[in-house]
Amino acid sequence: MNAPTFPAEPRLTSLSHGGGCGCKIAPGVLSDILKGSNGLPMPPELLVGIETADDAAVYQLNDEQALIATTDFFMPIVDDPYDFGRIAATNAISDVYAMGGTPIMALALVGMPINVLSTATIGRILDGGQAVCKAAGIPIAGGHTIDSVEPIYGLVALGLVHPKRVKRNADAKPGDRLILGKPLGVGVLSAALKKEKLAAAGYAQMIATTTQLNTPGPELAALAGVHALTDVTGFGLAGHALELARGAACSVEIDWSRVPLLTGVRELAAQGHVTGASGRNWAGYGASVTLPAGFAAVDQALLSDPQTSGGLLVSCTPESVPAVLEIFRRYGFDAAAEIGAVTDAAPGRLLVR
């Protein structure tokens, strides 16, 4: 007897109108949506809320422990279901590391078009998320599932941190140096992949960076010279640098020549492989960015390129730069680089050199 046959399933990326952190609502629109939220009363135990668009909420439990709570989910950025699950889980857990904390458990958020995707495919997505949680040393302790028009996967991630080691995105200080943990260009690679123009080496590079857990976070937070931490995700380097500048009432200067890029992304961007989110990002905050004369359109696109599971952005004293880079190197972040500084020249602005 012959085995039953089933119609070929569609590419995962063909089922989503946007992939990865490129799904985020544009910064300007999000600001309008949330503009009334800051007036709500907050308990004193809430050390970090929504006031500076930080990476996670932090609630103090006692003198030694604070709970970090965050959630992140999105539609497919790649077609391989296992890789999609890994990327989504890595991205969600990153926000715990970005607050200086250690993850303790996760809950899965699953929305799938069950009449389009097989249970085997959906199972592989969940397997990918489970593999990353195992690597992070945490269980997936529950979750919620729905039948959805587009595939959606992510996590609620919980972690712990000492209240005195919480690293907000609003505590940078003039004179600090900025260090970026991962190279930019994930959005460009994802755009090329969706158009079937990404070579195997480019895909391998994309998976390697988006599934690399930002495990240096707690050790970086323990350094006295580290003042602020965040991770660079859907709003791009420019957007998250501006959040840091606005939160600290400082300005951020970036030396573009020192910003690490994934191999080949500048060429791919020049060929038109740029996400729509890059343009939406720039429309939302470009007026707060000062670019040098002759700054190329390709570089502007990379500056606002949405990063899925991007790198940590560290604001630290000049004396701490060697220690910060050494920690990154020890955890396998070989591309980590000093890319700029924090000043008081133009508070709330990003200046690109």
Side-chain angles (χ1 to χ4, degrees):
M1 182 177 178
N2 294 329
T5 59
F6 299 94
E9 292 184 30
R11 296 175 61 199
L12 286 180
T13 53
S14 73
L15 299 175
S16 58
H17 72 278
C21 284
C23 296
K24 279 190 174 183
I25 293 175
V29 177
L30 183 60
S31 178
D32 284 343
I33 293 171
L34 298 177
K35 62 185 177 183
S37 301
N38 287 336
L40 299 174
M42 298 294 176
E45 294 86 0
L46 188 64
L47 304 182
V48 182
I50 65 172
E51 58 279 354
T52 61
D54 219 322
D55 298 295
V58 182
Y59 189 95
Q60 186 165 347
L61 301 174
N62 51 53
D63 291 343
E64 301 294 322
Q65 293 177 312
L67 178 69
I68 301 170
T70 183
T71 185
D72 218 315
F73 53 89
F74 46 62
M75 291 163 282
I77 188 174
V78 295
D79 293 313
D80 183 279
Y82 187 75
D83 286 343
F84 170 39
R86 292 168 67 207
I87 294 167
T90 306
N91 180 73
I93 297 170
S94 178
D95 286 339
V96 173
Y97 294 128
M99 301 307 298
T102 300
I104 56 172
M105 73 172 186
L107 307 173
L109 301 172
V110 184
M112 294 290 156
I114 58 174
N115 61 329
V116 175
L117 296 178
S118 68
T119 56
T121 295
I122 297 170
R124 287 295 288 165
I125 295 171
L126 272 58
D127 287 345
Q130 180 70 57
V132 164
C133 287
K134 182 178 180 181
I138 63 172
I140 295 181
H144 186 63
T145 61
I146 63 169
D147 184 0
S148 172
V149 175
E150 294 179 288
I152 298 169
Y153 180 70
L155 301 175
V156 173
L158 301 175
L160 291 174
V161 64
H162 193 287
K164 293 183 178 179
R165 287 190 176 176
V166 175
K167 296 299 177 182
R168 306 191 308 156
N169 66 355
D171 292 332
K173 302 181 186 302
D176 279 358
R177 300 295 187 263
L178 293 178
I179 297 173
L180 179 62
K182 290 184 182 181
L184 303 180
V186 172
V188 169
L189 294 180
S190 70
L193 177 66
K194 198 159 188 175
K195 296 176 183 176
E196 300 186 12
K197 298 295 184 181
L198 185 64
Y203 183 79
Q205 180 183 210
M206 179 181 174
I207 299 303
T209 190
T210 55
T211 60
Q212 186 176 24
L213 287 161
N214 279 322
T215 45
E219 198 165 334
L220 292 169
L223 292 177
V226 170
H227 295 143
L229 271 176
T230 190
D231 59 352
V232 178
T233 54
F235 298 149
L237 176 60
H240 293 284
L242 276 169
E243 287 179 344
L244 188 149
R246 290 165 179 162
C250 297
S251 57
V252 167
E253 295 183 359
I254 289 178
D255 183 346
W256 184 246
S257 66
R258 302 182 70 176
V259 174
L261 300 175
L262 291 165
T263 302
V265 295
R266 203 170 189 282
E267 293 75 13
L268 286 170
Q271 295 166 20
H273 299 300
V274 178
T275 69
S278 179
R280 293 193 298 272
N281 281 343
W282 192 258
Y285 55 62
S288 298
V289 181
T290 300
L291 299 176
F295 197 71
V298 166
D299 292 317
Q300 180 182 307
L302 289 166
L303 187 62
S304 60
D305 186 55
Q307 301 308 290
T308 299
S309 189
L312 295 175
L313 183 63
V314 185
S315 180
C316 66
T317 63
E319 297 78 15
S320 300
V321 169
V324 169
L325 289 173
E326 189 277 327
I327 290 171
F328 272 123
R329 301 283 188 268
R330 184 152 36 85
Y331 282 89
F333 291 78
D334 297 331
E338 182 181 348
I339 64 166
V342 179
T343 76
D344 54 8
R349 291 193 63 85
L350 169 62
L351 313 174
V352 180
R353 298 186 272 118

